[in-house]
Amino acid sequence: MAKIGPYLKNLSLRKTFMLYMLVFLILAAILSLLVVSLLHDIQLNIYYRNLQAYGQDGLSPYRYYSDGDYWLDRLCSFLTLAAVPVIFVGCTVMASFLFYHNKLKRPLTILAGASAKITENDLDFTIHYDCNDEMGQLCQSFESMRSSLEKNSRELWRIVEERRRLSAAFAHDLRTPLTVLRGYTDLLLRYLPEDKIPKPKLLSTIHTMD
């Protein structure tokens, strides 16, 4: 029994579904046989009880059935016809329900929660489903995708931060020469139109700006 549990847990979905259906079909056949036998025994009891009481004249005991015996016999006949398909349908539904509950519900819940977190850009989690069936492989693939997304997101964030630092450093390096150039430009705009700057000073200023 200790080995059967892990074996069934890691069994493929197709084989698990077939196993569930086989077990429940066998169960349905056994239940059908028991129910039909029980109903048949009830009808026989009714028949022999009336045979002993009224069958001495050689006539069929069916004609002596009381209303209660008659309707009980008809009910047993109806249930004999209806019980088999009802039992098989019920067992099939039960097998499908147990298959979903044991093999699909938990991994689907895990994947739905993971999808919701990824949609919200929340990648700080792990996907773990300890089965080696198709759903386990799907969860592993989903975890690989999440891990790749997290890695790419961290790398993108690192690149953005590096670019921001470079931009800040570049702006700082440019601030001083731009301030000097603006000062010389203001000087030239103020005094050059009035010819208040000697030519040597003007040339020196232009060379400095260059």
Side-chain angles (χ1 to χ4, degrees), residues 6-180:
Y7 173 76
L8 293 177
K9 188 176 183 180
N10 296 320
L11 199 62
S12 69
L13 296 180
R14 180 175 61 86
K15 292 180 179 179
T16 303
F17 183 75
M18 292 175 62
L19 180 61
Y20 271 80
M21 292 302 299
L22 177 62
V23 170
F24 275 88
L25 286 177
I26 294 174
L27 178 62
I30 295 174
L31 288 176
S32 297
L33 181 61
L34 292 175
V35 170
V36 169
S37 297
L38 177 62
L39 293 172
H40 184 64
D41 289 343
I42 294 174
Q43 288 181 299
L44 286 178
N45 287 334
I46 296 172
Y47 177 83
Y48 285 119
R49 185 173 67 247
N50 284 274
L51 179 64
Q52 292 175 359
Y54 305 107
Q56 304 302 325
D57 55 2
L59 298 177
S60 173
Y62 288 111
R63 63 184 298 174
Y64 298 107
Y65 278 11
S66 64
D67 290 342
D69 286 343
Y70 173 79
W71 288 112
L72 181 58
D73 182 75
R74 294 299 90 196
L75 178 62
C76 289
S77 297
F78 171 77
L79 292 178
T80 299
L81 295 175
V84 175
V86 169
I87 290 174
F88 272 86
V89 170
C91 286
T92 301
V93 172
M94 183 61 68
S96 302
F97 173 79
L98 289 178
F99 173 76
Y100 170 79
H101 184 271
N102 294 333
K103 296 293 287 186
L104 298 179
K105 183 178 180 180
R106 182 166 171 250
L108 289 177
T109 301
I110 293 174
L111 293 175
S115 298
K117 288 185 177 181
I118 291 176
T119 301
E120 297 171 356
N121 292 324
D122 179 12
L123 301 175
D124 189 18
F125 67 97
T126 56
I127 301 172
H128 178 68
Y129 180 62
D130 53 347
C131 284
N132 293 325
D133 58 7
E134 292 87 341
M135 297 305 295
Q137 295 171 8
L138 181 59
C139 287
Q140 291 176 4
S141 299
F142 220 83
E143 170 61 18
S144 298
M145 181 186 70
R146 183 211 62 81
S147 179
S148 297
L149 287 173
E150 182 183 24
K151 181 179 179 181
N152 292 338
S153 178
R154 292 182 184 277
E155 181 65 18
L156 180 61
W157 180 256
R158 187 191 65 78
I159 293 174
V160 170
E161 283 294 307
E162 184 67 22
R163 184 171 297 176
R164 186 186 64 80
R165 287 195 296 268
L166 287 174
S167 297
F170 185 67
H172 180 269
D173 291 341
L174 281 178
R175 189 174 295 117
T176 299
L178 286 176
T179 302
V180 174

